[in-house]
Each structure stands twice: as structure tokens, then as C-alpha cells.
């Protein structure tokens, strides 16, 4: 059935003709910026793209700071496809499966769940992304008792290049489900998901100042000490902020005041970063120490209780990401954490002594339980074995492109560091839109990550590995990609993903952003 170009143009945004990342790191001008609101409209776009020989790229909030969603052809944004469709409460009352349109933003879903006395079990650092976006890129939080956010998914519906709608799950085409759980937008359009929520909860948290050396000393126990744990490392101060929290039913209490949570404090911090980025780079260590004192204090409070708060789960799990930024995050075995952090510390210290480069703080240190059983295990089985602590998963399958290391399985028995994944995130802020030098810092950082079995978060600003640039330090930190190592790093799961993608989309309809995909070995 032929489609006129006007049938597609009526779905184009009347207010947007350009697309950019939230960090303003990449820009493009797609031929059409489309915002459909129904399955029928999505199917019309797919038919028309075939007819007019166009490729399709899907975007959500644009929070990936890379060029993964950049295209000159047709760009689809699902902000108008954002309804909550149904709630299915389990007879135990321990969880509810919620069916949603995949364009819904996480903050909208959080609000809809809260109105029903429900909450997501685990979140990333922000809630601005779409549900389809967090599925497509492998979003995670920080907990020894929870995995990727996609662990909460019960099923996924994908609109294929053929125009067919296909719903997959752990029991219906499980390999396609594993591919769709970290799809990178290259399999089709994720239209619907069913996600597992639990009764709403508060988080009782303690935030402490811990010396960097003490963190390394207590590395073997700190990550399993509470259900949710995360660390912000300030390398020039040689101190960290240790945040730990447990689920609670306590009444809300106000967190401590935030220096950069005020308008003046925030502008002062960004101005100091700008000064150290554009005027006098050697000021960066002093800037870090000044801001640390203003925001947190200075003396160690580890073991003394620190700053205490009770917040709703969303406010507790989300964090203030401050300014537009480059983000380079890698996953590696948590067991290697002490060695890795020592090497990163040595690199940062040596660079500061020579004036080669300076880093921004915090370096974010998080963990997740991305261990997987040999067979699909139901939520009820896990609840019975675990005594109810931790995740009530929607599935226990490993996404085919999961970048976390393969580690021994444990959700239900005693959990130790050998079961856990370390996420190390080197953020470099772009104060008032000015780029800091990142090439040498990111290159040295990645060399350490690779040496200890690390892989980069797909949606971030990694450099990667390319044979022709092996001996070159990219001064601007531009991505050279993973094409040369993809097969080795992702092995049979990577081959399976590519075979599924080629079968579902043999004509390359979803090859928008093709340059990024080729650079990283996806096609």
C-alpha cells in the first residue's frame, strides 16, 4: 500500500527541526523529526521509509552524549507515545506488572506509579530518559542486590522493519528478548514494555566522608553493607563520599543543605570550572578541594553516621548531574576495584604533578549485580530463596550486548564482590558550553579499564580501540570505536545479536546513525 510523503510530514514536529544531545556534544538536522502518537502512525512511517528509501533513527531525551542518534534521514521521537495502559497485581501483593507505551519518560512513569502506591525497584542517576531509551542502552543503578534496569522487564513489544508487531519475553523468543533488552535502537522500534513495580518505599540513607585509602581498605565489605551503595571520588582531596541506603517505611526527612543546590553555589561552581578549563588549568585541584569543603565538610565521618535522610525512592536513587558533560563509563569485575582505583589514582596524580592534564570530580564509583543464573528463574522462586531482600526481577536473562563482565551467579545466597560489577565513570564537565581537554585522560583511563577486563557503556563518550590508531592519543577524545574488538569482547552473544538484527532488518531500515554502528562493529 503506497504512502504519500504528506502522510508522513503531518507527523513531523512543528517546533523542532534539529536534534542534539542533552550535553550539546553533537547536533544534526534530520530531514524529518517525527513525533507519532499511535501504532498506526508508526507503521505508516515504516512503510514510507521503505518506499522512499530512508533510514530511521529513534531518540528519546538525548541523554546519551555520543553521536549514536545523529542522522540526516528520519528521526523518530516517541514523547507523544507515553500512556500507561494496565496494572496487573500479583496475588502475593509483592509486585505489580505495569504495561506502558515505551515513549513514556521515567519521571512520568514514576508519577503514575506513585499515584497507585507503587515504585520502580531500581533507577539510574536521572529519570529524564524514556523507557525505550533505558532499555536500548543498558542503564543501571548502584546496588549489590539489583542488576541493570532492564532486569525489571517482563516483556517487550517491537515494531519490526516488516511492519509486524512482535512481543517477546523470557519464554517467547528468548534470544530476541535478550537482544531487545539492549537493542541500541538497531532492531526495530520498541513500542511497549511490561515492567515490574513494587509497593512504594522510602530510602533511609547515610552519607559519610571517607578517606580514599580507607575506602580501599574496606572494599571487600562496603558494597554489600546496604541494599543501595554508591561512591563519589574526589581524587585531589583524597576523599570520597559514601552514600548507603536501605528500603524503609519511615517518614520523610529533609537531606542536608547543598552548596551547589542553590543558584549562587551552582553558578560559582560552574564559573570556577570554566576558569580552570579556559584560563588556568592548574587551578583544578584547588577548585575541587574548595567545592568539596563547601558541599560536604572535610573531616571523615565514616562510621559515625554522617548525614542522615529519609527520601522517597526516586529522590534517593536519582542524583544531581550538575552541568553538561562528557561521560566515559566502563564496567569491570568489582574484585579488581582496589587495583584499578590505585592505578587511576596514580595516573591522575602523575598528570597533575607534570601539568599534563587535570580531571573533574567526582569520579563516580558504583556497582550492580549483573550475575545471571544458568536458567530462567521466576520472581517467586527468587523471593522464596532470598527472603525478600533485593530485586524481584521481571526476568533473569543476560542481554546479548550486556557490557558487564561474566561473574558467578548470586542473587539469593550470600553476595560477595566476586558476584558484582564495578562501574567507573570519568565525567568531564563542559562549563558554559566550553570543552575541557579529555583525550589524554580518557586514553589513559581506558587503557587501565581494558587491562582489567573492562568494557564501555554503549551510550557514553568512550574512545575505544582501532588498529590504525593504536599508538595515537586522540587529543580531542574522539571515538574510534570497538569494531576491531567487538567479536573478541562479545563473542557468541555478539554474533547472535548481529544475526538477529540482519534477519529482522535485512534492508537496513534502522541503519540511521550508521556511522556510529559501523565504528563499533554493530553492522
Amino acid at each position: 500500500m503506497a504512502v504519500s510523503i504528506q502522510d508522513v510530514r503531518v507527523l513531523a514536529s512543528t517546533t523542532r527541526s534539529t536534534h542534539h544531545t542533552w550535553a550539546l556534544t553533537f547536533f544534526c538536522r534530520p530531514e524529518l523529526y517525527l513525533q507519532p502518537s499511535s501504532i498506526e502512525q508508526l507503521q505508516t512511517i515504516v512503510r514510507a521509509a521503505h518506499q522512499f528509501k530512508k533510514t530511521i533513527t529513534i531518540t528519546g531525551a538525548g541523554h546519551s552524549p555520543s553521536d549514536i542518534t545523529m542522522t540526516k534521514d528520519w528521526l523518530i521521537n516517541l514523547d507523544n507515545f507515553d500512556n500507561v495502559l494496565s496494572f496487573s497485581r500479583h496475588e502475593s501483593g509483592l509486585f505489580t506488572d505495569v504495561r506502558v507505551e515505551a515513549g513514556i519518560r521515567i519521571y512520568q512513569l514514576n508519577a503514575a506509579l506513585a499515584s497507585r502506591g507503587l515504585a520502580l525497584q531500581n533507577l539510574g542517576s536521572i529519570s529524564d530518559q524514556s523507557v525505550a531509551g533505558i532499555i536500548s542502552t543498558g542503564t543501571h543503578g548502584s546496588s549489590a542486590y539489583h542488576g541493570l534496569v532492564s532486569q525489571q522487564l517482563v516483556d517487550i513489544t517491537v515494531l519490526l522493519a516488516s511492519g509486524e508487531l512482535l512481543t517477546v519475553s523470557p519464554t517467547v523468543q528468548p534470544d530476541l528478548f535478550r537482544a531487545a533488552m539492549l537493542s541500541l535502537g538497531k532492531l526495530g522500534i520498541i513500542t511497549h514494555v511490561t515492567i515490574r513495580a513494587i509497593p512504594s518505599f522510602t530510602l533511609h540513607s547515610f552519607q559519610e566522608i571517607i578517606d580514599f585509602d580507607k575506602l580501599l581498605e574496606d572494599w571487600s565489605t562496603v558494597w554489600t553493607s546496604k541494599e543501595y551503595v554508591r561512591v563519589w571520588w574526589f581524587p585531589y582531596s583524597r576523599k570520597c563520599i559514601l552514600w548507603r541506603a536501605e528500603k524503609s517505611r519511615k517518614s520523610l526527612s529533609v537531606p542536608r543543605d547543598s552548596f551547589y543546590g542553590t543558584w549562587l553555589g551552582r553558578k560559582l561552581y560552574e564559573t570556577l570550572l570554566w576558569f580552570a578549563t579556559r584560563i588556568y588549568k592548574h587551578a583544578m585541584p584547588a577548585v575541587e578541594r574548595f567545592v568539596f569543603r563547601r558541599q560536604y565538610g572535610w573531616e571523615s565521618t565514616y562510621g559515625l553516621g554522617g548525614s542522615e535522610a529519609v527520601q522517597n525512592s526516586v529522590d534517593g536513587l536519582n542524583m544531581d548531574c550538575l552541568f553538561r558533560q562528557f561521560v566515559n563509563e566502563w564496567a569491570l569485575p568489582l574484585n579488581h576495584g582496589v587495583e584499578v582505583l590505585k592505578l587511576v589514582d596514580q595516573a591522575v596524580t602523575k598528570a597533575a604533578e607534570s601539568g599534563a592534564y587535570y580531571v573533574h570530580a567526582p569520579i563516580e564509583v558504583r556497582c550492580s549485580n549483573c550475575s545471571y543464573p544458568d536458567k530462567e528463574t521466576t520472581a517467586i522462586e527468587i523471593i522464596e530463596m532470598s527472603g525478600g531482600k533485593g530485586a524481584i526481577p521481571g526476568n533473569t536473562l543476560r542481554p546479548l550486548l550486556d557490557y558487564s563482565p561474566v561473574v558467578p551467579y548470586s542473587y539469593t545466597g550470600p553476595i560477595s564482590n566476586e558476584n558484582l560489577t564495578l562501574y567507573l565513570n570519568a565525567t568531564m564537565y563542559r562549563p558554559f558550553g566550553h570543552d575541557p581537554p579529555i583525550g589524554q585522560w580518557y586514553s589513559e583511563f581506558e587503557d587501565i579499564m581494558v587491562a582489567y577486563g573492562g568494557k564501555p557503556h554503549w551510550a557514553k563518550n568512550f574512545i575505544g580501540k582501532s588498529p590504525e590508531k593504536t599508538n595515537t592519543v586522540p587529543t580531542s577524545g574522539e571515538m574510534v570505536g570497538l569494531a576491531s574488538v567487538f567479536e573478541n569482547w562479545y563473542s557468541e552473544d555478539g554474533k547472535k545479536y548481529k544475526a538477529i538484527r540482519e534477519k529482522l532488518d535485512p534492508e537496513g531500515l534502522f541503519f540511521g546513525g550508521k556511522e556510529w554502528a559501523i565504528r563499533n562493529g554493530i553492522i
Side-chain angles (χ1 to χ4, degrees), residues 15-123:
T15 59
R16 292 193 64 170
S17 59
T18 61
H19 170 59
H20 59 77
T21 61
W22 171 82
L24 302 181
T25 46
F26 291 95
F27 296 78
C28 70
R29 185 180 291 276
E31 181 180 324
L32 290 175
Y33 188 99
L34 301 164
Q35 291 188 300
S37 58
S38 70
I39 287 294
E40 292 73 22
Q41 290 175 351
L42 281 165
Q43 289 173 323
T44 295
I45 293 170
V46 167
R47 289 199 306 273
H50 280 298
Q51 183 176 323
F52 294 104
K53 308 298 183 186
K54 301 296 180 181
T55 61
I56 290 173
T57 303
I58 303 96
T59 188
H63 266 274
S64 168
S66 79
D67 61 339
I68 189 172
T69 60
M70 297 298 117
T71 183
K72 295 180 180 179
D73 277 359
W74 293 358
L75 188 68
I76 295 178
N77 171 270
L78 295 178
D79 280 357
N80 295 335
F81 196 68
D82 61 353
N83 291 306
V84 179
L85 302 177
S86 66
F87 295 83
S88 178
R89 185 176 183 269
H90 190 264
E91 60 186 7
S92 68
L94 295 174
F95 60 88
T96 297
D97 292 342
V98 184
R99 184 77 168 164
V100 300
E101 293 175 338
I104 191 171
R105 299 291 186 94
I106 298 299
Y107 69 84
Q108 294 173 312
L109 178 55
N110 289 336
L113 293 176
S115 71
R116 295 284 193 116
L118 299 169
L120 294 178
Q121 304 177 58
N122 191 24
L123 292 168

Side-chain angles (χ1 to χ4, degrees), residues 43 46 157-167 173 189 191 504:
Q43 289 173 323
V46 167
T157 300
V158 184
L159 177 61
L160 305 178
S162 64
E164 173 190 4
L165 280 172
L166 184 62
T167 299
Q173 300 201 39
I189 302 170
T191 61
L504 296 181

Side-chain angles (χ1 to χ4, degrees), residues 257-269 294-295 320:
D257 291 337
S258 169
F259 161 66
Y260 50 61
T262 65
W263 182 89
L264 181 61
R266 198 178 196 87
K267 290 300 180 186
L268 176 58
Y269 187 10
R294 297 288 298 181
Q295 180 70 11
D320 185 351

Side-chain angles (χ1 to χ4, degrees), residues 328-330 439 442-447 449-450 454-458 460-474 477-486 489 516 519-520:
N328 192 356
E329 182 178 64
W330 287 62
Y442 277 6
S443 182
E444 291 184 15
F445 175 78
E446 292 189 17
D447 284 345
M449 299 302 108
V450 171
K455 297 188 189 76
H457 189 305
W458 284 108
K460 308 301 185 183
N461 297 113
F462 59 88
I463 297 171
K465 297 292 177 184
S466 183
E468 65 271 20
K469 293 198 176 183
T470 299
N471 299 315
T472 301
V473 176
E478 70 272 14
M479 181 185 289
V480 297
L482 303 179
S484 66
V485 295
F486 178 86
W489 284 8
W516 183 95
R519 197 186 309 142
N520 287 293

Side-chain angles (χ1 to χ4, degrees), residues 48 200 221 261 305 333 382 396 456 516:
S200 58
T221 57
I382 286 179
T396 56
W516 183 95

Side-chain angles (χ1 to χ4, degrees), residues 146-158:
H146 298 264
L148 298 179
V149 173
S150 61
Q151 179 193 50
Q152 299 170 78
L153 299 179
V154 178
D155 61 47
I156 303 171
T157 300
V158 184

Side-chain angles (χ1 to χ4, degrees), residues 4 11 53 88 95 104 110 171 197 215 243-244 261-262 282 318 381 408 447:
S4 73
L11 304 177
K53 308 298 183 186
S88 178
F95 60 88
I104 191 171
N110 289 336
T171 56
L215 173 70
W243 181 91
R244 296 183 283 183
T262 65
H282 305 296
N318 284 171
E381 289 172 330
D447 284 345

